[in-house]
Amino acid sequence: MLYRNSPRPRAAFRLVAALMFAVVVAPLAPARQTTQKLVVPEVERLRAHVTYLASARLEGRRTGTQGAKDAADYVAAQFMMLGLRPGFPGLMNVGGEAHKMERSRSFLQNFPYVVGVELGKGNEMRYRTEAQPLASDAGVSLRVGHDWMPLGFSANASLREVPFYFVGYGITAAEQNHDDYKDLNVAGAVAVALSGTPDGDNPHGRFTRAGEVRFKAAAARAAGARALVLIASEEDFGREPLARLSYENAGGDAGLAVVVVSRRVAAEYLGLNVAEAEKAARTRTQAAADPQAAALRQFRPNGTLDINVEVRRKNAPGINVVGMLEGSDPKLRHEYIVIGAHYDHLGRGGRGSLATREGEIHHGADDNASGTAALLELARLLAADRERLRRGVIFIAFGGEEEGLLGSNYYVNHPAVPLEQTVAMLNLDMVGRLRSGALSVSGIGTAAEWREWVERHNAGWKVELKAGEGKTTGEAAGDGGKGEAAAAPTNAQAAGMQDSTAAKVIVTGADGRTVATAHAAPRFNLRLNEDGFGPSDHASFYAKKVPVLFFFTGSHEDYHRPTDTADRINYEGLASIAAFVRDLVGQVQASDARPTFKLARAAATARSTGFRVYLGTIPSYGDSTDGLKLDGVREGSPAEKAGLRAGDVIVRLAGRDVRNVYDYTQALSQMKADEEYEVEVVRAGRRQSHRITPAARRQ
Ligand SMILES: [Zn+2]
């Protein structure tokens, strides 16, 4: 042949030949058109998917809303049109019982989700002076919604005549050597705290994390308080952000009553000059011996509080959409490759939004209509090739990602086929802003084969056609073409081909003029990361020891803002990423052995937690109110050495009860490296005790 030293001569030949056939030969001999239809990602289809999903009609697709439901229905309808198999048996109600119906399968998988919180009827708060403790209606009744408000994650509670103490900002931050509860006994009492932190509005202050209300609640609980009363930061209670009854699904119930009171109530009934108290509490962190602060620590008005909290959580299911293609290799057909992308976004803002004001639609074109559109195109490409699939492919559009990976976490615990049969998970999240070809691929360290495969398929060819007057350029994969040009080689040979340099192919016509040139050029400027954890749905699979790859074109100034719109998407780039993922799926299909799972090195740039110690636990992202469930433990970590494992629910750590991730974090912040602590877990319904020795965190 004509090639010499070309790294991938056959592929290059096929590619150039295919292009020649299409451009040069086909117009001359239409009757000899190719035998195999070329199915490639189409820019206009991607644009149509993104445009619909990111349209104002779907109102930002927040989990639990009609917009998210419409988006899920759209994906399910696409799956149906492509002939995918629904992921789950349908449910039919017979005599009041749900029966699984294999014949009426469903693409939709519901998972529990709290869409909102509302007040029940029993919300009462009463202030009593010591002179009027007995009669039940004595004292001053504070009006809910006007004088005070429970927080969405407050436990329901009924407290009577409980003394209260002022605890400054109510922050315990061992890493900052700061404890507002030091020398203060609030056991069985109500802790009254200022909102915010001594840092004021500084987002990079010392107490940014410890100052979050969830951590304040955990600190109050750890100190034995029965309720935490926060003092509003806004003078006008109607504008107080804490009074908005919002709920974070990943966090769970606080385990004690948490309410916010107006500044007027604090002043009139709790006897607190808020501005003075703020000043004093701030000074205290600077100079521990400040005399005014010392005086405040003795603060104890003569009175008690009754607090009745009743919050009702409204459930609206979140939805995953799951469709499948079955494999046909007798040995491999029970194995599956999962391709996933979340379709949910932030609705009209609120939690997770970076918008400066609330209420505007967050279109989420890049995050993550882009990945959802690529998922749909991949389903179309692979469905067109379904007879040749050796392993099955499961396509999943996840809900609840923005709320804390809720949908993917639910799926890995309730999979369409047993998770051991899933050999790899490929996740597309924010793939619509390809710039200068820079594509981030994470999870490279989660399978022994990934790096080689990803780099191999990133090798491509830049083709320049010189047929006719017009000069066209195109890019293509080295070997992604799978017989796309079955009839082409003879034509290419007839035209004559020659090769001059190692990575360049020149095609000449019968008249000796150059028809096309192709030279080696990578498809993407890849940024490879080892870690399998990260802020998207692949983390749920990696935690279950499934090899993962996560494709991402990087953050930008429209991230989590209303301006993430469909017109700002790079659709050609999106198509090229879909083609790349298709080729990697083809590579996994071609391998007889499944990708070999590996525990990846954690990224060195992992966000600094500020903790001094490290346990190596992998907490589950799901909602929990009765302990912290573990998805796994890191290899060689203190947690593993202590005998903890996936599925364990931590209920007590270092002498503190743990109901949720905030309690856990609170306990962790108090621990010291190389000292032994007790950790209690519930495993298979039984409570058991382990000894754990934290390691020092390497910063
Ligand atoms: Zn997002």
Side-chain angles (χ1 to χ4, degrees):
M1 289 293 285
L2 302 165
Y3 313 104
R4 192 165 38 82
N5 302 327
S6 178
R8 308 194 60 75
R10 218 170 63 82
F13 175 81
R14 277 211 323 250
L15 173 70
V16 174
L19 284 157
M20 275 202 51
F21 181 59
V23 178
V24 183
V25 182
L28 303 173
R32 296 178 59 201
Q33 195 94 33
T34 178
T35 52
Q36 184 88 37
K37 201 165 151 252
L38 190 67
V39 184
V40 296
E42 288 176 19
V43 164
E44 288 315 312
R45 288 178 191 270
L46 292 164
R47 191 193 306 274
H49 293 318
V50 172
T51 302
Y52 174 72
L53 292 168
S55 68
R57 226 194 109 190
L58 299 193
E59 291 191 286
R61 315 182 303 280
R62 185 128 215 171
T63 301
T65 66
Q66 185 62 40
K69 195 170 175 304
D70 289 347
D73 287 342
Y74 176 81
V75 173
Q78 296 288 325
F79 282 178
M80 190 167 73
M81 280 192 284
L82 295 170
L84 267 52
R85 181 171 192 258
F88 298 94
L91 291 177
M92 204 168 119
N93 207 306
V94 181
E97 259 179 70
H99 290 266
K100 285 188 175 178
M101 298 288 290
E102 190 59 28
R103 265 190 296 172
S104 65
R105 291 178 68 89
S106 171
F107 287 111
L108 306 182
Q109 177 183 44
N110 289 350
F111 57 88
Y113 180 70
V114 176
V115 70
V117 192
E118 55 187 26
L119 292 182
K121 290 206 175 90
N123 288 289
E124 283 172 21
M125 191 161 167
R126 187 175 292 275
Y127 166 77
R128 301 165 192 269
T129 62
E130 272 177 6
Q132 45 186 200
L134 295 171
S136 65
D137 58 349
V140 182
S141 172
L142 306 177
R143 278 191 297 158
V144 69
H146 187 80
D147 299 321
W148 73 285
M149 194 72 171
L151 272 68
F153 64 91
S154 172
N156 289 334
S158 183
L159 310 178
R160 273 176 63 89
E161 291 173 45
V162 183
F164 53 92
Y165 296 91
F166 180 63
V167 296
Y169 283 97
I171 291 174
T172 305
E175 68 273 22
Q176 299 289 351
N177 261 324
H178 179 99
D179 185 3
D180 284 329
Y181 289 91
K182 198 173 160 236
D183 307 327
L184 210 53
N185 184 7
V186 297
V190 174
V192 177
L194 299 167
S195 296
T197 75
D199 303 327
D201 291 333
N202 179 3
H204 304 293
R206 296 163 61 210
F207 300 108
T208 304
R209 196 196 70 239
E212 287 173 25
V213 285
R214 301 285 330 214
F215 288 111
K216 287 190 181 186
R221 217 167 79 78
R226 293 172 72 190
L228 173 65
V229 172
L230 293 157
I231 297 163
S233 57
E234 293 283 333
E235 205 62 59
D236 174 2
F237 196 64
R239 296 167 56 92
E240 173 55 41
L242 291 178
R244 284 184 198 158
L245 261 196
S246 66
Y247 184 78
E248 182 193 338
N249 275 262
D253 184 304
L256 82 170
V258 184
V259 311
V260 57
V261 296
S262 71
R263 289 166 85 94
R264 189 184 65 83
V265 165
E268 282 182 27
Y269 303 115
L270 309 186
L272 204 58
N273 180 336
V274 180
E276 273 301 302
E278 280 172 346
K279 204 174 126 210
R282 219 174 284 141
T283 325
R284 175 142 54 92
T285 63
Q286 285 155 10
D290 183 272
Q292 190 180 17
L296 253 175
R297 295 178 75 76
Q298 304 305 316
F299 165 87
R300 191 197 163 180
N302 295 331
T304 61
L305 291 171
D306 293 358
I307 302 177
N308 285 309
V309 172
E310 187 191 348
V311 289
R312 291 210 199 109
R313 302 199 171 106
K314 263 188 297 180
N315 294 291
I319 306 168
N320 292 327
V321 191
V322 183
M324 308 163 70
L325 290 169
E326 300 295 341
S328 52
D329 184 292
K331 284 203 199 93
L332 302 177
R333 58 183 304 166
H334 67 283
E335 295 185 352
Y336 292 83
I337 300 161
V338 168
I339 307 176
H342 78 88
Y343 68 88
D344 68 300
H345 193 52
L346 300 174
R348 287 179 177 270
R351 213 172 57 77
S353 167
L354 298 173
T356 42
R357 54 200 158 110
E358 281 185 40
E360 281 178 76
I361 293 172
H362 288 52
H363 296 274
D366 185 30
D367 186 8
N368 186 29
S370 67
T372 310
L375 176 77
L376 291 172
E377 269 301 80
L378 284 159
R380 189 177 68 85
L381 304 186
L382 292 166
D385 208 21
R386 68 176 75 205
E387 308 81 42
R388 279 192 284 178
L389 296 178
R390 303 173 76 202
R391 297 179 168 90
V393 182
I394 303 176
F395 302 88
I396 312 178
F398 295 107
E401 192 272 349
E402 303 284 12
E403 321 294 331
L405 315 186
L406 302 178
S408 54
N409 185 63
Y410 188 82
Y411 177 85
V412 297
N413 289 303
H414 306 84
V417 295
L419 212 59
E420 310 84 77
Q421 292 167 231
T422 292
V423 302
M425 192 277 185
L426 279 61
N427 183 29
L428 297 123
D429 191 357
M430 295 178 64
V431 284
R433 297 283 190 116
L434 190 70
R435 286 151 294 182
S436 314
L439 177 65
S440 151
V441 183
S442 300
I444 292 292
T446 65
E449 298 82 359
W450 277 156
R451 184 175 288 273
E452 200 242 307
W453 286 356
V454 167
E455 281 173 353
R456 183 195 302 174
H457 286 272
N458 192 44
W461 293 84
K462 187 140 186 110
V463 180
E464 273 188 56
L465 291 181
K466 292 173 176 154
E469 310 97 69
K471 190 173 137 189
T472 326
T473 65
E475 290 167 42
D479 57 355
K482 284 192 275 189
E484 282 160 358
T490 42
N491 298 296
Q493 274 166 326
M497 294 183 75
Q498 61 189 144
D499 170 85
S500 54
T501 58
K504 190 168 183 184
V505 179
I506 298 173
V507 184
T508 52
D511 58 2
R513 283 199 309 188
T514 299
V515 178
T517 60
H519 54 268
R523 302 166 82 175
F524 300 99
N525 173 11
L526 290 183
R527 312 269 154 89
L528 303 183
N529 304 302
E530 292 276 315
D531 202 2
F533 287 111
S536 188
D537 295 308
H538 59 284
S540 301
F541 287 78
Y542 179 53
K544 298 278 188 184
K545 293 195 161 42
V546 175
V548 297
L549 286 176
F550 165 40
F551 302 87
F552 171 50
T553 51
S555 198
H556 44 80
E557 75 249 22
D558 301 314
Y559 171 72
H560 280 203
R561 291 189 172 94
T563 45
D564 178 8
T565 49
D567 57 304
R568 299 188 182 188
I569 297 299
N570 175 356
Y571 291 99
E572 281 78 15
L574 183 53
S576 67
I577 293 164
F580 185 44
V581 173
R582 189 263 314 264
D583 294 346
L584 287 167
V585 170
Q587 177 66 61
V588 178
Q589 292 284 10
S591 167
D592 289 334
R594 52 156 72 191
T596 315
F597 177 79
K598 271 195 344 182
L599 281 171
R601 260 186 299 127
T605 54
R607 91 195 145 93
S608 166
T609 56
F611 294 126
R612 298 170 298 184
V613 299
Y614 164 79
L615 298 184
T617 55
I618 301 165
S620 166
Y621 283 98
D623 203 353
S624 76
T625 56
D626 45 12
L628 182 83
K629 190 169 172 193
L630 298 185
D631 269 348
V633 293
R634 298 231 185 219
E635 206 166 34
S637 67
E640 191 190 63
K641 287 178 196 151
L644 303 194
R645 54 193 203 212
D648 284 353
V649 178
I650 296 180
V651 291
R652 209 171 153 76
L653 176 63
R656 286 161 189 261
D657 285 334
V658 173
R659 286 170 65 95
N660 53 43
V661 70
Y662 300 96
D663 291 341
Y664 172 79
T665 308
Q666 192 64 42
L668 191 61
S669 72
Q670 307 299 316
M671 296 169 81
K672 296 198 174 83
D674 305 319
E675 278 181 27
E676 196 182 70
Y677 296 88
E678 186 178 24
V679 53
E680 288 183 59
V681 301
V682 174
R683 180 181 297 167
R686 289 232 190 95
R687 200 170 167 124
Q688 49 180 257
S689 174
H690 297 253
R691 311 295 305 176
I692 191 162
T693 306
R697 175 170 286 280
R698 290 157 299 172
Q699 290 290 357

